Coordinates of all heavy atoms in Angstrom, one line a residue:
Chain A
M1 N 98.1 103.1 98.0 CA 97.3 102.3 97.2 C 96.8 103.0 95.9 O 96.3 102.4 95.0 CB 96.0 102.0 98.1 CG 95.1 100.9 97.4 SD 95.8 99.3 97.2 CE 96.0 98.8 98.9
S2 N 97.1 104.3 95.9 CA 96.7 105.1 94.7 C 97.7 105.0 93.6 O 98.7 105.8 93.7 CB 96.4 106.5 95.1 OG 97.6 107.2 95.4
H3 N 97.6 104.2 92.7 CA 98.5 104.2 91.5 C 98.0 105.2 90.5 O 98.5 105.2 89.4 CB 98.5 102.8 90.9 CG 97.2 102.2 90.7 ND1 96.5 101.6 91.6 CD2 96.4 102.2 89.6 CE1 95.3 101.2 91.1 NE2 95.3 101.6 89.9
S4 N 97.0 106.0 90.9 CA 96.5 107.0 89.9 C 97.3 108.3 90.0 O 97.0 109.1 89.2 CB 95.0 107.2 90.2 OG 94.8 107.3 91.6
E5 N 98.1 108.4 91.0 CA 99.0 109.6 91.1 C 98.2 110.8 91.0 O 98.6 111.7 90.2 CB 100.1 109.5 90.0 CG 101.0 108.4 90.1 CD 102.0 108.5 91.3 OE1 102.5 109.6 91.5 OE2 102.4 107.5 91.9
S6 N 97.2 111.0 91.8 CA 96.4 112.2 91.7 C 97.2 113.4 92.2 O 98.2 113.3 92.8 CB 95.1 112.0 92.6 OG 95.6 111.8 94.0
T7 N 96.7 114.6 91.8 CA 97.4 115.8 92.1 C 97.7 115.9 93.6 O 96.8 115.7 94.4 CB 96.6 117.0 91.7 OG1 95.3 116.9 92.2 CG2 96.5 117.1 90.2
P8 N 99.0 116.2 94.0 CA 99.3 116.2 95.4 C 98.6 117.4 96.1 O 98.5 118.5 95.5 CB 100.8 116.5 95.4 CG 101.1 117.1 94.1 CD 100.1 116.5 93.1
V9 N 98.0 117.1 97.2 CA 97.2 118.1 97.9 C 97.9 118.6 99.1 O 97.8 119.8 99.5 CB 95.8 117.6 98.3 CG1 95.0 117.5 97.1 CG2 95.9 116.3 99.0
T10 N 98.7 117.8 99.7 CA 99.3 118.1 101.0 C 100.8 118.3 100.8 O 101.4 117.8 99.9 CB 99.1 117.0 102.0 OG1 99.5 117.4 103.3 CG2 99.7 115.7 101.6
A11 N 101.4 119.1 101.7 CA 102.8 119.4 101.6 C 103.7 118.1 101.6 O 104.6 118.0 100.9 CB 103.3 120.3 102.8
A12 N 103.2 117.1 102.4 CA 104.0 115.9 102.5 C 103.9 115.2 101.2 O 104.9 114.6 100.7 CB 103.4 115.0 103.6
D13 N 102.8 115.3 100.5 CA 102.7 114.7 99.1 C 103.7 115.3 98.2 O 104.5 114.5 97.6 CB 101.3 115.0 98.5 CG 100.2 114.1 99.0 OD1 100.5 112.9 99.3 OD2 99.1 114.5 99.1
K14 N 103.8 116.6 98.1 CA 104.7 117.2 97.2 C 106.2 116.8 97.6 O 107.0 116.5 96.7 CB 104.6 118.7 97.2 CG 103.2 119.2 96.8 CD 103.0 120.7 97.1 CE 101.6 121.1 97.1 NZ 101.4 122.5 97.6
T15 N 106.5 116.9 98.8 CA 107.8 116.6 99.3 C 108.2 115.1 98.9 O 109.3 114.8 98.5 CB 108.0 116.8 100.8 OG1 107.5 118.1 101.1 CG2 109.4 116.7 101.2
F16 N 107.2 114.2 99.2 CA 107.4 112.8 98.8 C 107.7 112.7 97.4 O 108.7 112.0 97.0 CB 106.1 112.0 99.2 CG 106.0 110.7 98.5 CD1 107.0 109.7 98.8 CD2 105.0 110.5 97.6 CE1 106.9 108.5 98.2 CE2 104.9 109.2 97.0 CZ 105.9 108.2 97.3
L17 N 106.9 113.3 96.5 CA 107.1 113.2 95.1 C 108.5 113.7 94.7 O 109.2 113.1 93.9 CB 106.0 113.9 94.3 CG 104.6 113.2 94.4 CD1 103.6 114.0 93.7 CD2 104.7 111.8 93.9
Q18 N 108.8 114.9 95.2 CA 110.2 115.4 94.9 C 111.3 114.5 95.3 O 112.2 114.2 94.5 CB 110.3 116.8 95.6 CG 109.6 117.9 94.9 CD 110.0 119.3 95.5 OE1 111.2 119.5 95.7 NE2 109.1 120.1 95.9
L19 N 111.2 114.0 96.5 CA 112.2 113.2 97.0 C 112.3 111.9 96.2 O 113.4 111.4 95.8 CB 112.0 112.8 98.5 CG 112.4 113.8 99.5 CD1 112.0 113.4 100.9 CD2 113.9 114.0 99.5
R20 N 111.1 111.3 95.9 CA 111.1 110.1 95.1 C 111.8 110.3 93.7 O 112.6 109.5 93.3 CB 109.7 109.6 94.9 CG 109.7 108.2 94.3 CD 108.3 107.6 94.2 NE 107.5 108.4 93.2 CZ 106.2 108.1 92.9 NH1 105.6 107.0 93.5 NH2 105.6 108.7 92.0
K21 N 111.4 111.4 93.1 CA 112.0 111.8 91.8 C 113.5 111.8 92.0 O 114.3 111.2 91.2 CB 111.4 113.1 91.3 CG 111.8 113.4 89.9 CD 110.9 114.6 89.4 CE 111.0 114.9 88.0 NZ 112.4 115.5 87.6
N22 N 114.0 112.6 92.9 CA 115.4 112.8 93.1 C 116.1 111.5 93.4 O 117.3 111.2 93.0 CB 115.7 113.8 94.2 CG 115.4 115.2 93.8 OD1 115.3 115.5 92.6 ND2 115.1 116.0 94.8
I23 N 115.5 110.6 94.2 CA 116.1 109.3 94.5 C 116.1 108.4 93.3 O 117.2 107.9 92.9 CB 115.3 108.6 95.6 CG1 115.6 109.4 97.0 CG2 115.8 107.2 95.8 CD1 114.8 108.9 98.1
V24 N 115.0 108.3 92.6 CA 114.9 107.4 91.5 C 115.9 107.9 90.4 O 116.5 107.0 89.7 CB 113.5 107.3 90.9 CG1 113.4 106.7 89.6 CG2 112.6 106.6 91.9
E25 N 116.0 109.2 90.2 CA 116.9 109.7 89.1 C 118.3 109.8 89.6 O 119.2 110.3 88.8 CB 116.3 111.0 88.6 CG 115.0 110.8 87.9 CD 114.4 112.2 87.4 OE1 115.1 113.2 87.7 OE2 113.4 112.1 86.8
G26 N 118.6 109.5 90.8 CA 120.0 109.5 91.2 C 120.5 110.8 91.7 O 121.7 110.9 92.0
V27 N 119.7 111.8 91.8 CA 120.1 113.1 92.3 C 120.6 112.9 93.7 O 121.6 113.5 94.2 CB 119.0 114.2 92.2 CG1 119.5 115.5 92.7 CG2 118.6 114.4 90.7
I28 N 119.8 112.2 94.5 CA 120.2 111.7 95.8 C 120.7 110.3 95.6 O 120.0 109.4 95.2 CB 119.0 111.7 96.8 CG1 118.4 113.1 96.9 CG2 119.4 111.2 98.1 CD1 117.1 113.2 97.7
S29 N 122.0 110.2 95.9 CA 122.7 108.9 95.6 C 122.3 107.8 96.5 O 121.9 108.0 97.6 CB 124.2 109.1 95.6 OG 124.6 109.5 96.9
A30 N 122.4 106.6 96.0 CA 122.0 105.4 96.8 C 122.9 105.3 98.0 O 124.0 105.6 98.0 CB 122.1 104.2 95.9
G31 N 122.3 104.8 99.1 CA 123.0 104.6 100.3 C 123.2 105.8 101.1 O 123.6 105.7 102.3
S32 N 122.8 107.0 100.6 CA 123.1 108.2 101.3 C 122.1 108.4 102.4 O 120.9 107.9 102.4 CB 123.1 109.4 100.4 OG 121.8 109.6 99.8
K33 N 122.4 109.1 103.5 CA 121.6 109.3 104.6 C 120.6 110.5 104.3 O 120.9 111.5 103.7 CB 122.4 109.7 105.8 CG 121.7 109.8 107.1 CD 122.6 109.7 108.3 CE 122.0 110.0 109.6 NZ 120.6 110.1 109.7
L34 N 119.4 110.3 104.8 CA 118.4 111.3 104.7 C 118.2 112.0 106.1 O 117.5 111.5 106.9 CB 117.1 110.8 104.2 CG 117.0 110.2 102.8 CD1 115.7 109.6 102.5 CD2 117.5 111.2 101.8
S35 N 118.9 113.1 106.2 CA 118.8 113.8 107.5 C 117.5 114.6 107.6 O 117.3 115.4 106.7 CB 120.0 114.7 107.7 OG 119.8 115.7 108.7
E36 N 116.7 114.4 108.6 CA 115.5 115.1 108.7 C 115.7 116.6 108.8 O 115.0 117.4 108.1 CB 114.7 114.6 109.9 CG 114.3 113.1 109.8 CD 113.5 112.7 110.9 OE1 113.2 113.5 111.8 OE2 113.1 111.5 111.0
T37 N 116.5 117.0 109.7 CA 116.8 118.5 109.9 C 117.3 119.1 108.6 O 116.8 120.1 108.2 CB 117.8 118.7 111.0 OG1 119.0 118.0 110.7 CG2 117.3 118.2 112.3
E38 N 118.2 118.5 108.0 CA 118.8 119.0 106.7 C 117.7 119.2 105.7 O 117.6 120.2 105.1 CB 119.9 118.1 106.3 CG 120.6 118.5 105.0 CD 121.6 117.5 104.6 OE1 122.1 116.7 105.4 OE2 122.0 117.4 103.4
L39 N 117.0 118.1 105.5 CA 115.9 118.2 104.4 C 114.9 119.2 104.8 O 114.3 119.9 103.9 CB 115.3 116.8 104.3 CG 116.2 115.7 103.6 CD1 115.5 114.4 103.6 CD2 116.6 116.1 102.2
S40 N 114.5 119.3 106.1 CA 113.5 120.3 106.4 C 113.9 121.7 106.1 O 113.1 122.5 105.6 CB 113.2 120.1 107.9 OG 114.2 120.7 108.7
T41 N 115.2 122.0 106.3 CA 115.7 123.4 105.9 C 115.7 123.5 104.4 O 115.3 124.5 103.8 CB 117.1 123.7 106.5 OG1 118.0 122.7 106.0 CG2 117.0 123.6 108.0
K42 N 116.2 122.4 103.7 CA 116.3 122.5 102.3 C 115.0 122.7 101.6 O 114.9 123.4 100.6 CB 117.0 121.2 101.8 CG 117.3 121.2 100.3 CD 118.2 119.9 100.0 CE 118.5 119.9 98.5 NZ 119.3 118.7 98.1
Y43 N 114.0 121.9 102.0 CA 112.7 122.0 101.4 C 111.8 123.0 102.0 O 110.6 123.2 101.6 CB 112.0 120.7 101.3 CG 112.7 119.7 100.3 CD1 113.8 119.0 100.7 CD2 112.2 119.6 99.0 CE1 114.4 118.1 99.8 CE2 112.7 118.7 98.1 CZ 113.8 118.0 98.5 OH 114.4 117.1 97.6
A44 N 112.2 123.7 103.1 CA 111.5 124.7 103.8 C 110.1 124.2 104.3 O 109.1 124.8 104.1 CB 111.3 125.9 102.8
V45 N 110.2 123.1 104.9 CA 109.0 122.6 105.6 C 109.4 122.0 106.9 O 110.6 121.9 107.2 CB 108.3 121.4 104.8 CG1 107.7 122.0 103.5 CG2 109.3 120.4 104.4
S46 N 108.4 121.7 107.8 CA 108.8 121.2 109.1 C 109.3 119.8 109.0 O 109.1 119.1 108.0 CB 107.6 121.3 110.0 OG 106.8 120.1 109.9
R47 N 109.9 119.4 110.1 CA 110.4 118.0 110.2 C 109.2 117.0 110.1 O 109.4 115.9 109.5 CB 111.1 117.8 111.5 CG 112.6 118.0 111.3 CD 113.3 117.6 112.6 NE 113.1 116.3 113.0 CZ 112.9 115.9 114.3 NH1 113.0 116.7 115.3 NH2 112.7 114.6 114.5
A48 N 108.1 117.3 110.6 CA 107.0 116.4 110.5 C 106.6 116.0 109.1 O 106.4 114.8 108.8 CB 105.7 117.0 111.2
V49 N 106.7 117.0 108.2 CA 106.4 116.8 106.8 C 107.5 115.8 106.2 O 107.2 114.9 105.5 CB 106.4 118.1 106.0 CG1 106.3 117.8 104.5 CG2 105.2 118.9 106.5
I50 N 108.7 116.1 106.6 CA 109.8 115.3 106.1 C 109.6 113.8 106.6 O 109.8 112.9 105.8 CB 111.2 115.8 106.5 CG1 111.4 117.2 105.9 CG2 112.3 114.9 106.1 CD1 111.6 117.2 104.4
R51 N 109.3 113.7 107.8 CA 109.1 112.4 108.4 C 108.0 111.6 107.6 O 108.1 110.4 107.3 CB 108.8 112.4 109.9 CG 109.9 112.7 110.7 CD 109.5 112.8 112.2 NE 109.1 111.5 112.7 CZ 110.0 110.6 113.2 NH1 111.3 110.8 113.2 NH2 109.5 109.4 113.7
E52 N 106.9 112.3 107.4 CA 105.8 111.8 106.6 C 106.3 111.3 105.2 O 106.0 110.2 104.8 CB 104.7 112.8 106.4 CG 103.5 112.3 105.7 CD 102.5 111.5 106.5 OE1 102.6 111.6 107.7 OE2 101.8 110.7 105.9
A53 N 107.0 112.2 104.5 CA 107.5 111.8 103.2 C 108.4 110.6 103.3 O 108.4 109.7 102.5 CB 108.3 113.0 102.6
I54 N 109.3 110.6 104.3 CA 110.2 109.5 104.4 C 109.5 108.2 104.7 O 109.8 107.1 104.2 CB 111.3 109.7 105.5 CG1 112.2 110.8 105.1 CG2 112.0 108.5 105.9 CD1 113.3 111.2 106.1
N55 N 108.4 108.3 105.5 CA 107.6 107.1 105.7 C 107.0 106.5 104.4 O 107.0 105.3 104.2 CB 106.5 107.4 106.6 CG 106.9 107.3 108.1 OD1 107.7 106.5 108.4 ND2 106.3 108.2 108.9
R56 N 106.6 107.4 103.5 CA 106.0 106.9 102.3 C 107.1 106.3 101.4 O 106.9 105.4 100.7 CB 105.3 108.1 101.5 CG 104.2 108.6 102.4 CD 103.2 109.4 101.6 NE 102.5 110.3 102.4 CZ 101.6 111.2 102.0 NH1 101.5 111.4 100.7 NH2 101.0 112.0 102.9
L57 N 108.3 107.0 101.4 CA 109.4 106.4 100.7 C 109.7 105.0 101.2 O 110.1 104.1 100.4 CB 110.6 107.3 100.8 CG 110.5 108.6 100.1 CD1 111.7 109.5 100.4 CD2 110.5 108.4 98.6
E58 N 109.6 104.8 102.5 CA 109.8 103.5 103.1 C 108.8 102.5 102.6 O 109.1 101.4 102.3 CB 109.8 103.6 104.6 CG 110.5 102.4 105.3 CD 110.4 102.5 106.8 OE1 109.6 103.4 107.3 OE2 111.0 101.7 107.4
T59 N 107.5 103.0 102.4 CA 106.5 102.2 101.9 C 106.8 101.7 100.5 O 106.6 100.5 100.2 CB 105.1 102.9 101.9 OG1 104.8 103.3 103.2 CG2 104.0 102.1 101.3
C60 N 107.4 102.5 99.7 CA 107.8 102.1 98.3 C 109.1 101.3 98.3 O 109.6 100.9 97.3 CB 108.1 103.4 97.5 SG 106.8 104.6 97.4
R61 N 109.7 101.1 99.5 CA 110.9 100.4 99.7 C 112.1 101.1 99.0 O 113.1 100.5 98.7 CB 110.8 99.0 99.0 CG 109.6 98.2 99.5 CD 109.4 96.9 98.8 NE 108.6 96.1 99.7 CZ 109.1 95.4 100.7 NH1 110.3 95.4 100.9 NH2 108.3 94.7 101.4
L62 N 112.0 102.4 98.9 CA 113.1 103.2 98.4 C 114.1 103.6 99.5 O 115.3 103.9 99.2 CB 112.6 104.4 97.7 CG 112.0 104.1 96.3 CD1 111.3 105.4 95.8 CD2 113.0 103.7 95.3
V63 N 113.7 103.7 100.7 CA 114.6 104.0 101.8 C 114.3 103.0 102.9 O 113.3 102.4 103.0 CB 114.4 105.4 102.3 CG1 114.3 106.4 101.2 CG2 113.2 105.5 103.2

Side-chain angles (χ1 to χ4, degrees):
Chain A
M1 187 62 67
S2 70
H3 50 276
S4 46
E5 297 285 324
S6 57
T7 53
V9 288
T10 187
D13 280 329
K14 300 173 197 166
T15 310
F16 162 65
L17 291 178
Q18 283 190 46
L19 279 175
R20 189 178 68 178
K21 191 167 187 290
N22 287 338
I23 289 174
V24 168
E25 296 181 354
V27 178
I28 300 177
S29 59
S32 64
K33 185 165 174 8
L34 296 178
S35 164
E36 297 182 0
T37 56
E38 182 184 335
L39 291 174
S40 71
T41 60
K42 185 173 180 181
Y43 287 85
V45 290
S46 84
R47 266 187 56 217
V49 173
I50 298 293
R51 283 179 70 84
E52 178 83 20
I54 288 181
N55 275 325
R56 299 197 200 172
L57 290 171
E58 200 184 8
T59 297
C60 306
R61 308 175 160 277
L62 285 170
V63 314

